[in-house]
Amino acid sequence: MKKMLLSFALCNLCFVSMNAQEFKVGVAAGLPISSSHQYSASFDASYIVNITDKFNVGLTTGFSHWFKRPAFNSGSLRILETEQVSILPIALTNRFNISKKVTLATDFGYAIPVRSPAYGSGLYFAPKIQYGISKSMDVVLGYRVAKLDYELMTSTIDMLSLGIEFKL
């Protein structure tokens, strides 16, 4: 009987929130802030459920890539070549609609390195501000940071990004 009631409650919850769901994808280009990589790019996909008309929560994942910087020598200045780093973030996202056009968002979760054998997984955090330019498109200014294990120490990779998010 308890299982049947729980199943009934979950089904009702699904039907209640069925009209308040969104699926969004986005692309962004970025500049690394504290790491010595040359530039970065990312792709994101989010599934968002409207809790109220001002607050939304959901899940997000994607792919972020930091491109390597070649070695540089100029007199006494020497910059070593960096390796490429790719991560697959898996995070919870929350969004607070300040107005009809402006939204504050944060993603907090776990970063899994992809094709980067020297790095281990770690924490992921991405605050952003979004400006709606149409009903289905936002311009997103964001900062994303991943704190990853690197050999015997911890390494932080980050980017300041500008991109576009589409509502599907």
Side-chain angles (χ1 to χ4, degrees):
M1 183 68 176
K2 287 182 184 179
K3 288 181 183 180
M4 191 170 88
L5 286 174
L6 181 61
S7 298
F8 181 72
L10 287 175
C11 287
N12 282 333
L13 181 63
C14 291
F15 285 119
V16 167
S17 65
M18 199 150 184
N19 293 331
Q21 302 173 37
E22 295 177 348
F23 184 71
K24 295 185 174 191
V25 294
V27 292
L31 293 173
I33 303 296
S34 65
S35 65
S36 59
H37 293 88
Q38 193 163 5
Y39 54 92
S40 53
S42 64
F43 167 79
D44 296 308
S46 301
Y47 177 75
I48 299 166
V49 176
N50 297 337
I51 302 299
T52 68
D53 43 336
K54 292 275 187 191
F55 186 69
N56 309 324
V57 297
L59 297 172
T60 188
T61 188
F63 182 78
S64 298
H65 187 78
W66 285 259
F67 295 89
K68 70 180 179 178
R69 177 182 301 252
F72 176 77
N73 286 322
S74 174
S76 62
L77 179 64
R78 182 172 180 223
I79 298 175
L80 299 175
E81 180 179 71
T82 59
E83 63 183 60
Q84 298 188 106
V85 179
S86 299
I87 64 166
L88 176 75
I90 300 171
L92 295 174
T93 184
N94 61 39
R95 298 176 185 216
F96 181 71
N97 303 320
I98 294 175
S99 68
K100 288 187 177 187
K101 297 238 182 222
V102 179
T103 302
L104 293 177
T106 57
D107 301 346
F108 185 74
Y110 200 65
I112 301 167
V114 179
R115 296 180 307 181
S116 304
Y119 289 92
S121 18
L123 291 176
Y124 173 78
F125 179 66
K128 44 191 147 175
I129 186 164
Q130 299 176 206
Y131 181 77
I133 55 177
S134 73
K135 284 220 178 254
S136 62
M137 189 172 12
D138 293 341
V139 173
V140 181
L141 176 65
Y143 174 75
R144 48 180 92 214
V145 61
K147 192 170 187 115
L148 304 173
D149 292 333
Y150 180 70
E151 294 172 352
L152 296 175
M153 56 188 171
T154 302
S155 176
T156 301
I157 55 173
D158 61 354
M159 76 167 89
L160 182 64
S161 63
L162 181 65
I164 296 178
E165 185 176 74
F166 300 96
K167 179 180 174 183
L168 301 178

